[in-house]
Amino acid sequence: MQPPSIPAARKANCRRPHRSRTSGRGALISAFGPAACVRARARTRSQFKEDTVRWFLLNSEHVGDMASMMWIAMLVGFGVTGMMLYMFTEKNLGQFAVLQAMGATPRLLTTMILVQAAVCAVLGTGIGLGVCAVVGRVAAAEFEYPFRMMWFAALIGGGMVVLVSIVAAAISIRPVFRLQPARVFAGR
């Protein structure tokens, strides 16, 4: 078997299609090794930052690790928040029955549970983002850890907290809908 020609070897090492153009904007510089193709072009500071973040998100294994940790945190959040709200609702069924016997509508009781879930979500999001920002800044200042809290991370985290809270509230509302004050008072 004959060894491949130099241009063919360069093409094999390059992830992008080889261009014959050797100068000008967007030219590809081919070489052997892991950095087989480098896109050399002039960029502004913000474009360079965007390209760097994009490269890191696409090529780093840490992004997958962080995504796995996020899903585990979501599952724990569903479990803890759902169980806490459900236990609170189950423990206070007597009080909900008294309110219902006094004329509170199921809609009012549902609103009470949803407000409680919303307050927990807002407090949890605020405390979580605050602790994350403080720990990140301390790690960056003291240990030169590269910390950057991007705006969309807080937005996605807040959205996930809202999702967890809605599911937890939906689980907690079920006993209130099936509540019959006479049965609750007879059991005492």
Side-chain angles (χ1 to χ4, degrees):
M1 187 167 140
Q2 194 174 14
S5 65
I6 292 174
R10 286 182 182 162
K11 285 182 186 177
N13 287 336
C14 184
R15 291 185 182 178
R16 296 182 189 90
H18 179 73
R19 295 183 190 175
S20 59
R21 189 172 63 184
T22 57
S23 64
R25 185 173 176 181
L28 294 177
I29 302 168
S30 297
F32 293 103
C37 288
V38 177
R39 191 168 277 217
R41 61 187 169 111
R43 292 174 270 197
T44 64
R45 178 182 288 240
S46 62
Q47 288 173 333
F48 183 75
K49 283 183 180 180
E50 288 174 12
D51 288 347
T52 303
V53 169
R54 186 177 298 114
W55 182 91
F56 182 76
L57 291 175
L58 293 175
N59 296 314
S60 175
E61 64 188 34
H62 300 298
V63 174
D65 295 342
M66 288 185 280
S68 300
M69 287 188 283
M70 185 181 72
W71 282 109
I72 291 171
M74 287 285 298
L75 292 174
V76 169
F78 277 121
V80 171
T81 307
M83 287 305 296
M84 285 179 58
L85 280 173
Y86 185 79
M87 287 172 23
F88 172 80
T89 305
E90 195 70 31
K91 183 176 176 158
N92 292 316
L93 278 179
Q95 284 79 10
F96 287 127
V98 169
L99 289 172
Q100 195 172 22
M102 290 178 6
T105 63
R107 182 175 178 174
L108 177 66
L109 298 176
T110 302
T111 304
M112 289 171 62
I113 293 173
L114 289 175
V115 167
Q116 180 185 6
V119 168
C120 290
V122 168
L123 286 175
T125 303
I127 292 170
L129 289 174
V131 168
C132 179
V134 168
V135 169
R137 295 290 178 187
V138 167
E142 295 294 323
F143 306 110
E144 297 179 9
Y145 186 78
F147 176 76
R148 181 176 176 190
M149 190 170 192
M150 296 184 227
W151 65 269
F152 61 85
L155 189 66
I156 291 171
M160 293 296 123
V161 168
V162 167
L163 178 68
V164 168
S165 298
I166 289 171
V167 171
I171 292 170
S172 300
I173 288 171
R174 285 186 61 213
V176 174
F177 280 145
R178 293 182 286 159
L179 183 65
Q180 294 179 357
R183 279 193 186 170
V184 174
F185 292 134
R188 287 190 171 196

